Amino acid sequence: MNESTPSDTPSSDGVSGVPSATKSGLMQLVDLDSEHPATKAIGTALMRLKQTAPDSVISPPHIHVTESSVVAVVRRHDMWEQARQQLDDVAAELQLDPNAHAMLRHPKRTLEVAVPVRMDTGKVQVFQGYRVHHNLYRGPAKGGIRYHHEVSMEEVKALAMLMTWKCALMNIPYGGAKGGVVVDPSKLSDGELERLTRRFTSEIMPIIGPDRDIPAPDMGTNAQTMAWMADTYSMTIGHSVPQVVTGKPVSIGGSLGRTEATGRGVSYMAAAIARERGLNMKDLRVAVQGAGNVGSYTARTLQEMGAKIIAISDVHGGVFNGDGIDAAKVFNAMGPKSKLADFCPGEALTNEQLLTLDCEILVPAALGGVITEANAGEVRAKIIVEGANGPTTTEADKILHQRGVLVVPDILANAGGVTVSYFEWVQGIQSYFWELDEIYSRLNRIMQKAFAAMWELSEKERIPMRSAALRIAVGRVADAAKQMGLFP
Ligand code: NAD
């Protein structure tokens, strides 16, 4: 286990030279700084593409490499610096106690593990895994586990910090955590995924537990992953401890409503901002990037509320249908490994085109760092509701603000998931389970309360919603830090 020791000096410089490099093309970027993690990630992605599809790098349209897609990859690897910069800005605005500020700039604990897995071929493959606790002043650590081939320690640290702010904004008693494994889960068999999950759980056992750190699903993981984690933990401890994770199947102590909670919460927040802007649900045209847990339930719920879903995408690309996509029909027909385009009739479009569609509401619900300085000027949506974590970079945020595009920030918009995870944890500890209508109504109440506080501050101070949400959240964590004092 490493206690991380990053520099104490606030820094605002991202990847120096990268934006200009992206203008002159991907290959020059790869040549630019071979040691930078973003450059390495792009290099690795290119190598993989060269092996799997030798023609793809040099012959579009198999791979669509544009300036904004390269900037997006670079920015994802910049997320930790951006998260810290965000904190520094809020600390200055709140005139935060410098001692509390200094402590909040560091993750409390970072753990990097090797995860050896016997593959179906009989060979052993070693995967890289991470778990980070950002802060524990307000309660045990809470945060998802991501399986994605681009996961990095920097990204996990940034996402753990975001979880601290998210839990504080929702006023639920947790600190922030995040975890991940560098793997493309679509390339593994079910057996390989189970062995990977069980070994990863075993490797992070020293820092997880029902009153220490409670993982949940994120990109590339789901209720089945959580069931394997709960079983591995319980078998090791010697008795049943399902409360060690949330987002479990209902049959082993999961909560009703958890699967759809994040997408439902995104929809509540889309409806709340539409209400403030005087927009009717039936007049809303919505584009959703991502057709996984968050994207699919956002599309389904907004459709139920009367909005028209005009575009959705997955990793392979998007589908546009100006007459409206029947999200319920599409997602009822799809299985976990289905390709969206095979089930969703409409015109094909790229993930980048989807981000700049003419619509009232854009919901990025896939990866972080997709709305960047390279495409923010082209966004035509009136409102962005962030289903994904960190989809908008700091530079893009400024451009969108100047252009009058409203952004409902991730730490509020996608907080439905962690809120119902909290309900699941509470129900598990009490061994007393609630009805679905009770869960939805409690979720709505908590989210509307957080929205109202953020909106009021944003209007009063004439600041973007993200700044208002962060001021509330960071203020609460700093207050907890002050009350706790410094050990020893
Ligand atoms: P998921 O794995 O269920 O789905 C991800 C979707 O994104 C899939 O449709 C996939 O095809 C698509 N995708 C992957 N790479 C892409 C790319 N390069 N371009 C476009 N689409 C791509 O994941 P999820 O749980 O829905 O999570 C999505 C986002 O929401 C993540 O940022 C996650 O951190 C955030 N989030 C999830 C939850 C949750 O409860 N699951 C809660 C809060 C936030």
Side-chain angles (χ1 to χ4, degrees):
M1 198 183 305
N2 310 324
E3 287 285 334
S4 68
T5 51
S7 144
D8 271 311
T9 323
S11 109
S12 60
D13 56 350
V15 188
S16 54
V18 161
S20 58
T22 59
K23 290 193 181 93
S24 45
L26 179 63
M27 298 315 290
Q28 285 178 28
L29 172 74
V30 173
D31 290 343
L32 183 74
D33 173 5
S34 58
E35 285 311 307
H36 192 279
T39 315
K40 284 184 181 168
I42 294 170
T44 310
L46 284 175
M47 293 295 286
R48 203 172 290 143
L49 268 162
K50 277 182 176 164
Q51 285 160 6
T52 52
D55 298 333
S56 61
V57 175
I58 45 166
S59 70
H62 298 296
I63 174 165
H64 191 70
V65 177
T66 63
E67 182 182 346
S68 56
S69 63
V70 173
V71 174
V73 174
V74 172
R75 289 299 169 234
R76 275 204 286 286
H77 287 269
D78 240 6
M79 258 181 101
W80 174 232
E81 274 313 316
Q82 294 213 30
R84 281 187 140 187
Q85 185 60 50
Q86 221 170 39
L87 169 64
D88 296 342
D89 294 345
V90 178
E93 289 159 18
L94 291 175
Q95 299 183 326
L96 205 66
D97 166 39
N99 296 323
H101 178 200
M103 289 191 284
L104 292 174
R105 293 190 90 248
H106 298 270
K108 175 180 172 58
R109 183 178 288 129
T110 66
L111 174 62
E112 182 169 343
V113 294
V115 187
V117 178
R118 191 167 303 280
M119 307 303 279
D120 293 344
T121 57
K123 278 193 183 158
V124 172
Q125 193 171 332
V126 183
F127 297 86
Q128 193 73 35
Y130 308 101
R131 186 73 186 166
V132 171
H133 296 172
H134 170 254
N135 185 272
L136 304 182
Y137 292 141
R138 290 175 44 91
K142 189 88 189 82
I145 304 273
R146 176 174 289 199
Y147 287 176
H148 193 271
H149 59 277
E150 273 175 26
V151 166
S152 66
M153 177 58 97
E154 299 297 288
E155 183 188 42
V156 174
K157 286 195 307 196
L159 291 168
M161 186 188 259
L162 273 183
M163 282 304 296
T164 302
W165 310 145
K166 193 183 297 184
C167 295
L169 180 66
M170 304 315 286
N171 225 346
I172 55 181
Y174 290 131
K178 202 79 184 184
V181 178
V182 187
V183 60
D184 179 350
S186 69
K187 301 275 186 314
L188 268 57
S189 69
D190 287 350
E192 289 167 340
L193 266 181
E194 178 175 351
R195 294 193 288 280
L196 172 91
T197 302
R198 288 186 182 279
R199 183 62 188 244
F200 175 60
T201 309
S202 168
E203 295 296 343
I204 63 169
M205 277 277 297
I207 65 168
I208 62 171
D211 45 15
R212 290 179 159 192
D213 172 10
I214 307 109
D218 191 76
M219 256 186 117
T221 56
N222 54 26
Q224 176 62 77
T225 324
M226 294 305 114
W228 290 328
M229 289 190 79
D231 185 60
T232 305
Y233 189 89
S234 299
M235 292 304 289
T236 312
I237 295 282
H239 59 91
S240 173
V241 194
Q243 306 87 347
V244 66
V245 289
T246 59
K248 304 176 285 290
V250 173
S251 57
I252 58 163
S255 175
L256 293 173
R258 174 60 184 91
T259 307
E260 65 271 32
T262 308
R264 248 194 124 75
V266 171
S267 309
Y268 292 160
M269 295 299 95
I273 187 71
R275 189 182 63 222
E276 293 299 340
R277 303 308 293 174
L279 297 166
N280 281 324
M281 289 308 287
K282 66 172 177 37
D283 297 330
L284 299 185
R285 291 166 304 153
V286 182
V288 182
Q289 181 181 65
N293 175 284
V294 181
S296 67
Y297 283 104
T298 299
R300 281 167 181 267
T301 315
L302 281 173
Q303 183 186 8
E304 278 168 26
M305 292 174 163
K308 189 195 276 184
I309 312 301
I310 60 162
I312 316 182
S313 67
D314 66 7
V315 65
H316 307 287
V319 176
F320 171 82
N321 187 339
D323 295 331
I325 291 168
D326 186 343
K329 191 172 167 193
V330 170
F331 291 115
N332 284 341
M334 278 174 72
K337 294 199 173 171
S338 304
K339 216 169 146 181
L340 176 76
D342 295 339
F343 293 83
C344 189
E347 237 173 89
L349 82 171
T350 64
N351 264 295
E352 289 184 28
Q353 286 167 334
L354 182 142
L355 294 173
T356 57
L357 277 179
D358 179 21
C359 58
E360 278 66 46
I361 297 201
L362 170 66
V363 182
L367 290 175
V370 290
I371 304 174
T372 68
E373 68 267 37
N375 60 7
E378 318 294 320
V379 168
R380 283 184 287 165
K382 294 187 177 63
I383 297 167
I384 296 174
V385 185
E386 295 185 330
N389 281 311
T392 313
T393 67
T394 310
E395 296 86 352
D397 241 351
K398 288 180 191 141
I399 298 168
L400 294 168
H401 183 58
Q402 280 159 8
R403 296 185 54 232
V405 180
L406 293 174
V407 181
V408 184
D410 47 7
I411 60 168
L412 175 64
N414 69 31
V418 73
T419 305
V420 178
S421 272
Y422 166 57
F423 297 165
E424 178 175 331
W425 184 67
V426 169
Q427 292 170 82
I429 289 169
Q430 298 181 343
S431 295
Y432 178 73
F433 291 86
W434 312 341
E435 298 296 334
L436 188 60
D437 55 354
E438 190 175 354
I439 286 160
Y440 285 167
S441 93
R442 283 177 190 260
L443 171 65
N444 195 24
R445 204 179 321 145
I446 289 184
M447 293 200 77
Q448 297 296 345
K449 195 171 170 189
F451 179 89
M454 174 201 70
W455 184 250
E456 191 189 334
L457 185 61
S458 157
E459 289 284 282
K460 187 169 145 225
E461 301 286 328
R462 303 200 157 279
I463 52 175
M465 283 182 270
R466 191 186 315 280
S467 308
L470 283 167
R471 281 192 200 180
I472 295 169
V474 173
R476 284 180 183 160
V477 180
D479 188 46
K482 196 172 152 200
Q483 303 292 332
M484 287 282 203
L486 180 64
F487 176 86

